[in-house]
Amino acid sequence: MQGVTTAQPLTRGRGSRRAEILEAAAALFAARGFHGTSIEDIGGAVGTSGPALYRHFSGKEALLAEMLLDVSERLHTSAANRVTKAPDAEHALDALLTGQIEFALSHPALITVHDRELGNVPEPARRQIRRLQRLYVEEWVTVLSELYPGCPPPRLRAVTHAVFGLLNSTPHSAGELEPEAMAELLRRMARAALASVQS
């Protein structure tokens, strides 16, 4: 780990029609569910017909798979970059927290879709998503193992997943506070949870 951490963007270029469709679909899947959303609904949300979407995706399952695979790839890549550029483990953890909090506050619909709809992603995309998620968790575990060298890896993985649950509560918890205040609250709670791993 070396240098200065810089943020890795977790959103695609807004000029991309494909990205626009994915973003609209995420909002609809979060609000109505995968099975409650039709191709026509998604097309209408981006100002086109449902059948026109088949120029971009072969169907709803392919759209959902790309949505969750894409965000899993970007989260893992962002985390790896942040850790590599951090001067030490403490800064790496702070950078990981920043990245996950930024994601949780900016993309609550994706969190909801992942929690509810991953089972609707066809194989082998679902296996790829799970693999990327495991790699993302291991970025955290590697950093935490430097900060808490006496703590066994299974305990570090458990606390990492628990912190993800806390940070990814934003579809339910982030409505009343300003984003900056919510980010600070999430950071403090996550830090307290991570520190408890030594108890």
Side-chain angles (χ1 to χ4, degrees), residues 94-155:
D94 193 59
L96 288 172
L97 284 167
T98 295
Q100 184 63 35
I101 290 168
E102 288 175 353
F103 167 74
L105 289 173
S106 300
H107 303 286
L110 282 173
I111 292 171
T112 299
V113 173
H114 175 271
D115 286 347
R116 291 200 312 221
E117 310 295 354
L118 181 60
N120 289 309
V121 174
E123 300 290 1
R126 196 188 319 168
R127 286 195 300 273
Q128 292 176 283
I129 292 166
R130 289 296 194 195
R131 176 180 174 275
L132 287 164
Q133 290 171 340
R134 288 193 295 272
L135 292 172
Y136 182 56
V137 169
E138 290 309 306
E139 292 289 346
W140 287 69
V141 170
T142 298
V143 170
L144 290 172
S145 67
E146 293 188 44
L147 295 172
Y148 307 108
C151 190
R155 188 174 175 88

Side-chain angles (χ1 to χ4, degrees), residues 11-17 19-20:
T11 54
R12 295 169 179 240
R14 291 303 175 197
S16 168
R17 181 63 166 167
E20 182 184 4

Side-chain angles (χ1 to χ4, degrees), residues 24 31 37 44 80 90 100 124 178 194:
T37 302
E90 185 61 41
Q100 184 63 35
E178 292 295 324
L194 290 167

